[in-house]
Amino acid sequence: MVQMVFWALTQEQRLFFWANRRPSHQGLNLWLSRWLGTITHTGGATFTLLTALIGALAAPGMWGTAGWKALAAVAISHIPVAIVKRKFRRLRPYQALAAVHTCKKPLCDSSFPSGHTTAVFAWLMPWLLVDYALLPVLLPLAMLLGLSVAWSRMYLGLHYPSDVTAGAVLGSLTSALVSAAWSSL
């Protein structure tokens, strides 16, 4: 059992360092740093809550309802994130590992789970469920956004792969439950 845990931790660190690396090509490095340094903010509370509220108030019909669902899902998903972060005081990668690339103002609270990844996945799901005919167009865009936020959290040295995976699952699950409860009203 100890060997399995050690193996899993080693693999997670390898995956983290792969996501945290900087490309040797200067142009690609600059583009990637700008993209991930910007897109990470779409997982923040300000972006997810504000855009959900704007959608709820301004969008017509089912799109407005999706805004309300996204707002509720993001707000509700922050509760388990706050509880788990307090219970599992996991150091962020830049605090625990050597040679980690990090952002200018790194966070200091617990890394598990990723709140940004939780929020963006909680925010995305209601928009995907509005019109199933649009799913072939919306799903790739949603995956690009969600996975970019998740990758950005590792790229910036703030989260491990298990942090962002747990965040994606928690956000998606919360959003699915909110949407299911909303439908039963």
Side-chain angles (χ1 to χ4, degrees):
M1 181 66 166
V2 171
Q3 287 178 333
M4 279 183 32
V5 171
F6 179 75
W7 179 85
L9 289 173
T10 302
Q11 296 309 311
E12 178 168 59
Q13 285 183 8
R14 289 178 69 203
L15 185 55
F16 166 78
F17 279 114
W18 177 84
N20 184 250
R21 78 189 187 296
R22 301 301 188 260
S24 59
H25 186 276
Q26 189 176 10
L28 180 59
N29 184 28
L30 180 62
W31 177 83
L32 190 61
S33 293
R34 284 186 180 163
W35 168 252
L36 295 174
T38 302
I39 201 72
T40 197
H41 298 294
T42 62
T46 302
F47 179 86
T48 53
L49 293 171
L50 187 60
T51 56
L53 181 60
I54 290 169
L57 295 174
M62 295 299 295
W63 293 100
T65 303
W68 289 116
K69 290 178 185 178
L71 184 67
V74 172
I76 292 168
S77 72
H78 275 71
I79 297 167
V81 168
I83 292 168
V84 172
K85 279 185 179 280
R86 283 187 179 90
K87 184 167 178 67
F88 290 100
R89 296 271 183 207
R90 185 180 196 185
L91 291 176
R92 291 184 180 270
Y94 79 89
Q95 296 170 315
L97 303 172
V100 171
H101 298 284
T102 191
C103 55
K104 291 179 184 173
K105 297 180 182 176
L107 303 170
C108 295
D109 63 334
S110 178
S111 76
F112 184 83
S114 168
H116 280 70
T117 308
T118 301
V120 78
F121 276 87
W123 179 84
L124 283 168
M125 181 82 69
W127 308 111
L128 291 174
L129 301 176
V130 171
D131 186 350
Y132 293 113
L134 294 174
L135 206 53
V137 173
L138 294 180
L139 186 59
L141 294 173
M143 293 306 296
L144 175 65
L145 178 60
L147 294 175
S148 290
V149 170
W151 181 15
S152 76
R153 305 311 288 167
M154 295 181 288
Y155 185 83
L156 296 172
L158 301 173
H159 289 287
Y160 295 98
S162 59
D163 299 340
V164 297
T165 301
V169 169
L170 181 58
S172 298
L173 182 60
T174 302
S175 197
L177 291 172
V178 165
S179 292
W182 205 286
S183 298
S184 68
L185 295 176

